[in-house]
Amino acid sequence: MSIFFFVLFFLLHLSTAQDDCTPTTCSKHGPTIRFPFRLKDSQPPHCGYPGFDLSCSPTTSATLLNLPNSVQVLVTNIDYKSQLIHIKDPNSCLPQQLQNLNLSASLFHFAHSEYDFSLFSCPSTRPVESFEGPTRAACLSGDGHEVYVESSAMSIYFPPQLISCRKMYNVWSVPNEVFDQTADLQLTWPQRVCGKCEAQGMFCGFMSNSTSDEFECFNPPKKAELKRRLVIASVTLGSFWLLAILIATYCFHRRKEIKREDHLKIEKFLEDYKALKPARYSYADIKKITNQFKDKVGQGGYGTVYRGQLSNDVHVAVKILNNTKGNGEEFINEVGIIGTIHHVNVVRLVGYCADGFRRALIYEFLPNDSLEKFAISDHDKHLLGWKKLLEIAMGIAKGIEYLHQGCDQQILHFDIKPHNILLDENLNPKITDFGLAKLCSKEQSVVSMTTARGTIGYIAPEVFSRNFGNVSYKSDIYSFGMLLLEMVGGKKNFDVMVNNTNQIYFPEWIYNRLDSGEELRIRIQDEGDAKIAKKLAIVGLWCIQWYPVDRPSMHVVIQMLEGDGDTLIKPPNPFVSANPPRVTGQASRRPLNKKLETLVDCE
């Protein structure tokens, strides 16, 4: 199959190798675009001379040329033989852009004589009446003022007509015609770029075997040659579609086979699991429980969550797993892990459905949504109060400690974040979503992983790169620390803006405030609340230490949260440059965060 793809690619390249630089236009009546110009984002760089990039307006299909300092002009015609390019302002007011125009370092220059000018703003009640006086810039005038243009050489004498006017700015090296909206403005480019070829009625381009910017002349492609290439391209395209159909058919059958294997794997797991709780339901039961999926309460990449009822007083949340993705591992993780553990701070799995390829998970229903709603809203946080926030942090910590130490096997969650903390009717937190979790022996200090998993902003450095340490239960500690800082600050920890003015990583901002002894400047009602906020911040900073060995265990975290915040020791600065033990060179916190933002495979 790979050989076939290689042959197909070769044929496509053969039929289009000469055509990727074929002359083109932006519209039916637009100028022809060919070497030394190229159409940016549509033709490869070798199709044009550096700096000769044209683009098409997305709204008007006009041909545009970008000059230095973001000056953009409309191209109306290109005379390749005389090497002239005719331009206009897209907004019919080129003088408006002249203040930024500087062609001294550009390959283009005005074809007309160039002068220096000064622009003056005059009251409209005192217009310039002299016939030989300054030129009026009509498109810049208006709103009670008139704009006039005078030669810079003359303006030093300040003509009497301008005595009540204010000088605006100077414009350098432009022709008189730029101030005439009806004039035909022309730019020229160096004769060394294809001038000789064009004079002979030929095209030009870079030499194919040259390592420098050398040009060669060639005749325009003849109709017979173009027809031959069109036939080759058509045959190749037909072959491509035939191949695409064959591949699609193969993928369809292979996908069915994979789903069948997933189904068998899950059935084997459930056969071993049937003696345990929770209960198994059919898909028909699921439809009845959810009242035909009437009340949708959430949706994500995993699937859709509906509210349902097992009886008059037992409400549940039913997660219908997305069957367009291979989710056998996630399903087994959820059922196998949550179904065998019981803790007040871990969501309870009531039942599940594995009916053919349809899979669903049934949880206890928690009416107060997730912690994310309260963590990022100052209003909702105020409704909770800082004492309740501390209780919620304690509950989450105890739930994580139970996962790490309270089960037969250690459970690493790998996706601790506010969205995965649900709140019951008494606002008690419960950890949910174990789709990315891993089981390992309590004696196992290192966890092997083939790919990073988690959510951007909460992933520990060692999960992303082993250069920063081994993956272990300490990775969950890091995510919990990020969650605490988000609870304190009311903003995402991976945002880089604080108050929309100071560009700084938010947890680092918190550390700097504590380090300098300043207040956190968070909405706080009394001194007791301020102590709680400071305690949560210090514990959070301990948890996000750069190296796993420097982070406390969850047992120690609970002791810190239960203790007196005044006795807490401020942690080392986790944001300064650091040398990983087995890596030469330096790494800092924020470059890693930038790298994490580009991470695609986080599942």
Side-chain angles (χ1 to χ4, degrees):
M1 185 63 70
S2 58
I3 295 176
F4 192 87
F5 270 113
F6 174 79
V7 173
L8 177 63
F9 173 79
F10 178 77
L11 289 174
L12 282 169
H13 178 73
L14 181 66
S15 64
T16 61
Q18 299 299 322
D19 291 341
D20 54 2
C21 297
T22 300
T24 185
T25 62
C26 287
S27 63
K28 183 178 180 180
H29 303 292
T32 300
I33 301 171
R34 57 181 170 86
F35 200 93
F37 295 93
R38 77 175 182 101
L39 191 57
K40 188 178 179 182
D41 299 329
S42 295
Q43 294 180 319
H46 71 264
C47 291
Y49 193 80
F52 282 64
D53 297 336
L54 299 177
S55 59
C56 299
S57 169
T59 55
T60 64
S61 298
T63 307
L64 302 174
L65 171 66
N66 288 322
L67 296 174
N69 298 330
S70 301
V71 175
Q72 190 176 71
V73 293
L74 178 69
V75 178
T76 59
N77 186 39
I78 303 176
D79 185 341
Y80 288 90
K81 185 174 181 179
S82 302
Q83 299 199 166
L84 292 173
I85 179 168
H86 299 252
I87 64 169
K88 291 173 59 178
D89 187 272
N91 301 313
S92 301
C93 190
L94 187 59
Q96 201 168 35
Q97 302 192 68
L98 293 180
Q99 185 178 7
N100 299 322
L101 184 62
N102 182 2
L103 297 181
S104 60
S106 173
L107 293 173
F108 300 100
H109 299 282
F110 283 105
H112 310 277
S113 298
E114 299 176 348
Y115 305 95
D116 298 334
F117 295 93
S118 298
L119 274 70
F120 295 85
S121 176
C122 304
S124 58
T125 55
R126 307 188 71 180
V128 178
E129 299 175 353
S130 172
F131 179 77
E132 296 181 354
T135 302
R136 179 174 178 267
C139 68
L140 294 177
S141 300
D143 295 331
H145 75 281
E146 301 286 340
V147 176
Y148 293 93
V149 183
E150 177 65 275
S151 167
S152 292
M154 295 296 298
S155 68
I156 61 174
Y157 299 106
F158 217 80
Q161 300 94 329
L162 303 177
I163 198 66
S164 62
C165 303
R166 175 180 59 84
K167 183 176 179 180
M168 297 168 61
Y169 52 82
N170 292 326
V171 175
W172 310 108
S173 302
V174 297
N176 279 310
E177 288 79 3
V178 299
F179 301 103
D180 183 355
Q181 292 178 246
T182 63
D184 180 27
L185 288 175
Q186 300 171 0
L187 295 175
T188 184
W189 67 86
Q191 288 293 323
R192 61 187 177 86
V193 183
C194 285
K196 180 180 177 181
C197 299
E198 298 290 346
Q200 298 174 8
M202 304 175 73
F203 287 178
C204 78
F206 288 120
M207 295 182 64
S208 56
N209 296 324
S210 174
T211 57
S212 60
D213 295 342
E214 297 182 60
F215 306 99
E216 60 179 348
C217 301
F218 59 88
N219 290 314
K222 294 182 171 54
K223 291 184 178 180
E225 175 65 15
L226 290 176
K227 184 177 181 180
R228 184 185 69 84
R229 293 177 185 171
L230 182 60
V231 170
I232 293 176
S234 300
V235 172
T236 305
L237 185 60
S239 301
F240 171 78
W241 280 113
L242 177 61
L243 176 64
I245 293 172
L246 292 174
I247 292 175
T249 303
Y250 169 80
C251 290
F252 174 75
H253 289 290
R254 178 58 184 154
R255 183 177 172 185
K256 286 185 66 176
E257 179 64 22
I258 291 174
K259 282 189 172 293
R260 191 181 72 85
E261 292 172 358
D262 275 352
H263 176 64
L264 293 176
K265 178 174 67 175
I266 290 173
E267 285 300 326
K268 184 179 184 305
F269 162 75
L270 296 176
E271 182 67 24
D272 298 335
Y273 186 75
K274 65 183 180 181
L276 302 173
K277 295 293 182 183
R280 181 173 182 173
Y281 294 86
S282 68
Y283 192 69
D285 295 330
I286 296 296
K287 291 196 290 186
K288 183 177 179 181
I289 291 169
T290 60
N291 193 15
Q292 304 297 321
F293 309 109
K294 182 179 179 180
D295 188 3
K296 184 169 76 171
V297 296
Q299 187 166 355
Y302 55 81
T304 309
V305 178
Y306 299 90
R307 182 170 180 170
Q309 266 185 288
L310 289 181
S311 63
N312 291 335
D313 56 349
V314 179
H315 294 268
V316 291
V318 181
K319 182 199 288 187
I320 306 296
L321 296 183
N322 194 339
N323 61 10
T324 61
K325 297 170 64 177
N327 48 36
E329 181 181 353
E330 178 181 337
F331 178 83
I332 290 175
N333 266 1
E334 292 269 7
V335 177
I337 293 176
I338 307 182
T340 57
I341 60 178
H342 303 282
H343 190 271
V344 67
N345 296 120
V346 177
V347 72
R348 185 167 64 91
L349 185 67
V350 177
Y352 61 89
C353 168
D355 194 344
F357 297 127
R358 292 164 170 159
R359 299 163 200 155
L361 299 167
I362 306 172
Y363 303 98
E364 59 178 317
F365 182 76
L366 302 174
N368 280 315
D369 211 337
S370 72
L371 178 61
E372 183 177 42
K373 168 186 170 184
F374 296 93
I376 64 175
S377 167
D378 285 337
H379 177 263
D380 290 335
K381 184 189 296 184
H382 175 68
L383 292 178
L384 280 181
W386 284 94
K387 290 182 180 178
K388 190 61 184 179
L389 282 173
L390 177 60
E391 291 177 11
I392 290 174
M394 286 284 297
I396 299 169
K398 290 178 180 178
I400 297 175
E401 183 193 29
Y402 172 77
L403 297 177
H404 289 176
Q405 298 296 328
C407 306
D408 293 336
Q409 284 187 294
Q410 191 176 65
I411 301 171
L412 308 187
H413 190 280
F414 284 116
D415 203 16
I416 298 293
K417 59 182 179 180
H419 183 75
N420 288 339
I421 306 299
L422 302 181
L423 302 175
D424 67 11
E425 61 277 5
N426 297 317
L427 296 174
N428 296 314
K430 292 179 182 285
I431 302 170
T432 187
D433 200 342
F434 286 74
L436 301 181
K438 286 183 74 75
L439 289 172
C440 60
S441 168
K442 292 181 181 179
E443 291 75 29
Q444 186 177 345
S445 59
V446 178
V447 179
S448 62
M449 291 174 59
T450 57
T451 181
R453 54 175 66 194
T455 300
I456 299 302
Y458 304 93
I459 304 175
E462 66 274 11
V463 176
F464 173 71
S465 172
R466 304 304 179 267
N467 290 331
F468 302 101
N470 293 318
V471 178
S472 67
Y473 72 93
K474 291 292 186 74
S475 303
D476 280 348
I477 306 292
Y478 181 94
S479 302
F480 177 72
M482 284 297 192
L483 179 147
L484 285 183
L485 295 179
E486 189 168 328
M487 290 172 66
V488 172
K491 59 181 82 254
K492 295 291 184 184
N493 287 312
F494 40 89
D495 286 348
V496 295
M497 299 295 292
V498 175
N499 296 331
N500 296 322
T501 55
N502 304 318
Q503 290 193 356
I504 184 171
Y505 181 56
F506 181 70
E508 184 175 359
W509 179 84
I510 288 183
Y511 184 88
N512 291 340
R513 303 289 299 183
L514 292 175
D515 190 45
S516 61
E518 298 180 71
E519 294 295 329
L520 292 177
R521 292 194 300 193
I522 297 169
R523 294 184 183 179
I524 300 223
Q525 297 296 321
D526 55 43
E527 184 178 347
D529 290 344
K531 290 180 64 176
I532 293 175
K534 184 177 181 181
K535 179 198 291 189
L536 293 175
I538 292 176
V539 175
L541 291 168
W542 270 112
C543 292
I544 65 166
Q545 288 296 304
W546 187 253
Y547 304 115
V549 68
D550 295 330
R551 300 173 206 150
S553 68
M554 195 53 72
H555 180 71
V556 174
V557 167
I558 292 171
Q559 290 180 331
M560 295 166 74
L561 291 173
E562 289 177 337
D564 185 357
D566 294 334
T567 61
L568 280 179
I569 301 173
K570 183 169 62 69
N573 188 348
F575 307 106
V576 296
S577 297
N579 292 315
R582 293 170 293 166
V583 180
T584 59
Q586 290 190 334
S588 69
R589 180 64 185 88
R590 277 177 286 181
L592 175 64
N593 228 30
K594 276 291 182 186
K595 207 165 187 179
L596 284 175
E597 289 173 10
T598 64
L599 185 63
V600 175
D601 186 4
C602 294
E603 298 183 354

